[in-house]
Amino acid sequence: MTPLPSVRRPHRRYRAAPLLTLVLAGSLALTGCEALDDLPGPSATRTAPAADGTALQAVEGLTVKGRAPKTGYEREEFGSAWADTDRNGCGTRDDVLAEQLSRVARDADGCKVLSGVLDPDPYTGTRIAFERGRSKVDIDHLVALSDAWQKGARQWSAGKRRAFANDVLNLVAADSSTNRRKGDGDTATWLPPNKAYRCAYVAGQVSVKRKYGLWVTAAERTAMTEVLSGCPDQKLPAGGAPTEAVWILGPCGDGG
């Protein structure tokens, strides 16, 4: 009998591919998990309840709602700029400049700040010379008036809006160009370039929103929590003006 020709069976190398794929997939999955563990987040950074009196604790009490429309917002809705709400005879802008600048020189009227030094500027960490009429210093609202309008201020009385716009708790002297880049951003959309000031900055916003009963968006509260989780002992600022301005003078000074 003639023997049958031998048949060469192909090597079944395809079986190794699934095994290799599984090994690679396992390796990639492990690497991915390790990478995710490195991402910051409130659950990863917070290991204990926030302490009493801290800004981090206060964030938890803020109301969370969506942003309302900006319809109807005008600067004039918050009263004349830099009114004398504390009745000291000087406009709020000059009060803040005198308080937050060093080497202050005033006009003969005792109100107008003619020159001074902002050192350091909280938003950039740099030194800025102030000269009236050629100013590189703005007085910023930590919580912008437009942001407040969209998160509760639209329903306020005129007196409460005036108080808010002139409350020193909500005011900071800062570099003008940086402040204007901020616009009406909240914590979720803008933070000072000077990282050393971010905890104080966010704590100030939390304090103002709590004092005036303004709400925050979900993204805003998340951003506040993430910043303050890096400085859980940051105290919540307090003080400032009453939340209803009942006796107002016109603006003092040229605002330059």
Side-chain angles (χ1 to χ4, degrees), residues 79-102:
S80 57
W82 312 128
D84 179 21
T85 55
D86 63 2
R87 312 183 193 188
N88 72 346
C90 300
T92 303
R93 174 180 169 80
D94 285 298
D95 286 343
V96 175
L97 288 171
E99 176 66 26
Q100 298 186 15
L101 270 59
S102 60

Side-chain angles (χ1 to χ4, degrees), residues 34-60:
E34 289 173 345
L36 289 174
D37 289 341
D38 291 336
L39 294 176
S43 60
T45 55
R46 293 185 58 189
T47 58
D52 291 344
T54 62
L56 184 57
Q57 181 194 52
V59 172
E60 299 171 358

Side-chain angles (χ1 to χ4, degrees), residues 13 22 51-52 72 84-85 88 96 101 116 118 126 155 161 167 177 183 187 195 214 239 247:
R13 293 182 180 177
L22 289 173
D52 291 344
D84 179 21
T85 55
N88 72 346
V96 175
L101 270 59
L118 183 60
T126 62
Q155 288 77 42
R161 287 199 291 266
D167 193 335
S177 60
T187 303
K195 294 182 179 180
L214 293 167
W247 191 85

